[in-house]
Amino acid sequence: MTRADPSRRLVLASGLALAACRSEAQPAPWTGPVPALKDIAPFPVGACVPSAYLDDPSWVELARRQLDQITPEWELKMEYVLQSNRGDYRFDAPDRIADFARDNGLRLHGHALIWYAQEAPYFMTLDPKRFAGEYDRYIREVAGRYAGRMVGWDVVNEAVAEDGNGLRDCLWSERLGGQEAYIVRAFEQAKAADPNAVLFLNDYNLENNPTKGTTYLRLVERLLTLGAPLGGLGVQSHLDIEIPDGQIRNFIREAARFGLPIHISELDASQRRDGRLPDTRSLKHKRARQHALTRELVTAYMELPAAQQYGITTWALRDRDSWLRRPPRDDGRDSLVLFDDWGQPTAMFAGFVEGLNGAA
Ligand code: G3I
């Protein structure tokens, strides 16, 4: 097959994309009164939030109506708290989010104490004698600061390898005696700092990639065997809307076998497909997949005993608040959470409500 020259390929691709957009007028995913999810769900409904959004009246109004839980999106992570090279911490932004939660009767979920992706420069400066002590101090002081106010913590984030084969190596595993060692240590320090918080192991692609899901569940089992005070399973659920039906349900049923609380901690379902070829899927198809997979997830979640329903948190309240709508990923069109750019219900919202009503 002769390969079209690049400029022709580009014209072809943009033509396809334009044609796809032009014929995309779709009925609104939701018509009629909009229920408050926090009132109709038997479990907490949450969203992540950066402190800047607390200055957006429309975000605050929608959050107050729809949510009973919030998660700081990034300002309670090491990248924000431990910016200095002197080992001192800053809490202005997370304190503001915690105060907003208190003042509005919202549960507060902490994210994230230890993450392979956040190896603060300060830790790079430490000799072996001080490293472990400073690791422990960070966890104890950050978790301790919100003791009694945090319903739960993502203690360790994304410990499983990207492809699901084994666990990640990282600064923490290299400097603290191995992968299991740094993880158990983090949970022990967090438990000492806040004995009443539910302590989660949080990860992603667990339903998108069954191999990764299996490795994650094996790690849960291993940590419990080692006596780590692991109290909950954090399932991020950044859904790939093209995965086969049933994968989400199967994973949640497998995860439920530990009898621990499960937090769907970062739900979103991007309509975008990265890659070189143009995405010619129709908007109707993408919305149908978002609707179906959200309904599958919520239906499976509703089957859990109440004690295991920690909550479902979306990784943004409105489409335009999403990490995937920020540069460099932003295409300005992705719709991936419960409310669109104007705060109106999306296909995910419709699937969520159907899942609550058992209309699977
Ligand atoms: O707001 C500041 C801006 O003032 C500053 O000019 C700019 C450049 O420094 O940074 C902006 O803050 C950024 C923030 O997102 C808000 O956009 C931070 O640098 C950036 O690191 C932060 O990225 C967050 C990322 O985790 C890393 O912490 C994303 O918001 C957040 O959505 C993303 O969330 C992760 C979860 O923690 C774990 N699971 C995957 C998920 C998506 O990657």
Side-chain angles (χ1 to χ4, degrees):
M1 180 180 82
T2 57
R3 292 178 61 79
D5 68 84
S7 58
R8 184 171 179 282
R9 244 194 351 252
L10 191 62
V11 167
L12 179 65
S14 54
L16 281 172
L18 194 59
C21 288
R22 219 179 263 138
S23 63
E24 289 296 10
Q26 287 291 316
W30 183 272
T31 54
V34 179
L37 293 177
K38 71 177 185 182
D39 296 337
I40 63 174
F43 50 78
V45 176
C48 71
V49 58
S51 62
Y53 291 5
L54 303 182
D55 298 318
D56 174 351
S58 60
W59 186 95
V60 170
E61 181 190 358
L62 187 60
R64 282 178 173 148
R65 170 162 168 71
Q66 292 290 339
L67 305 179
D68 36 24
Q69 182 167 306
I70 54 175
T71 300
E73 181 169 9
W74 71 286
E75 291 152 315
L76 200 40
K77 294 173 190 167
M78 198 175 276
E79 71 175 293
Y80 184 88
V81 173
L82 180 50
Q83 280 207 341
S84 90
N85 282 328
R86 297 179 309 282
D88 47 60
Y89 308 145
R90 65 171 181 166
F91 294 105
D92 55 332
D95 282 356
R96 190 173 172 220
I97 294 171
D99 291 348
F100 176 83
R102 178 199 58 210
D103 299 344
N104 290 276
L106 296 167
R107 286 160 45 107
L108 181 64
H109 178 81
H111 173 81
L113 290 170
I114 296 298
W115 187 13
Y116 82 90
Q118 305 226 335
E119 300 170 348
Y122 170 69
F123 275 97
M124 306 295 189
T125 68
L126 298 178
D127 64 43
K129 287 196 300 298
R130 290 197 61 215
F131 190 96
E134 285 299 281
Y135 180 85
D136 295 350
R137 179 174 76 91
Y138 178 82
I139 297 169
R140 276 202 319 273
E141 288 201 21
V142 176
R145 183 179 185 88
Y146 302 99
R149 300 177 70 181
M150 210 60 90
V151 285
W153 269 103
D154 294 330
V155 175
V156 173
N157 195 43
E158 303 177 6
V160 176
E162 183 65 30
D163 62 4
N165 293 313
L167 304 184
R168 296 182 191 272
D169 291 319
C170 58
L171 176 69
W172 319 116
S173 62
E174 286 156 18
R175 302 287 294 273
L176 291 169
Q179 293 149 341
E180 291 178 352
Y182 90 86
I183 297 172
V184 171
R185 190 179 190 121
F187 277 93
E188 290 172 342
Q189 292 302 319
K191 189 68 177 178
D194 189 351
N196 298 318
V198 182
L199 303 180
F200 288 87
L201 180 73
N202 195 48
D203 220 318
Y204 67 97
N205 277 355
L206 304 179
E207 55 292 90
N208 296 342
N209 174 353
T211 300
K212 189 170 185 182
T214 300
T215 304
Y216 169 88
L217 295 178
R218 284 203 185 112
L219 176 57
V220 169
E221 194 159 26
R222 176 73 179 139
L223 293 173
L224 293 172
T225 303
L226 291 170
L230 170 64
L233 278 58
V235 183
Q236 292 183 17
S237 293
H238 295 285
L239 298 180
D240 172 350
I241 61 172
E242 300 304 341
I243 62 173
D245 294 344
Q247 269 181 212
I248 295 169
R249 181 195 59 239
N250 295 342
F251 178 77
I252 289 176
R253 287 178 175 171
E254 279 294 297
R257 287 169 46 199
F258 290 100
L260 293 174
I262 294 176
H263 183 203
I264 304 297
S265 56
E266 304 182 17
L267 175 62
D268 56 29
S270 175
Q271 292 178 351
R272 294 186 53 202
R273 172 182 281 168
D274 294 330
R276 287 177 338 113
L277 293 175
D279 183 354
T280 55
R281 294 172 299 162
S282 72
L283 179 60
K284 183 177 180 184
H285 165 81
K286 290 184 275 194
R287 281 182 170 180
R289 292 304 299 153
Q290 289 176 315
H291 184 123
L293 290 183
T294 305
R295 184 180 58 207
E296 179 183 329
L297 183 148
V298 176
T299 301
Y301 201 76
M302 288 289 282
E303 291 174 359
L304 296 172
Q308 290 186 259
Q309 295 178 349
Y310 178 87
I312 295 183
T313 295
T314 54
W315 211 241
L317 182 56
R318 302 165 302 188
D319 290 335
R320 59 186 162 111
D321 305 328
S322 168
W323 63 294
L324 289 174
R325 288 283 300 273
R326 294 178 202 141
R329 297 180 181 85
D330 184 26
D331 69 352
R333 295 200 312 271
D334 201 359
S335 174
L336 64 167
V337 287
L338 291 165
F339 300 95
D340 67 15
D341 290 359
W342 299 275
Q344 295 307 306
T346 61
M348 177 181 278
F349 184 95
F352 198 104
V353 173
E354 278 189 23
L356 291 176
N357 296 337

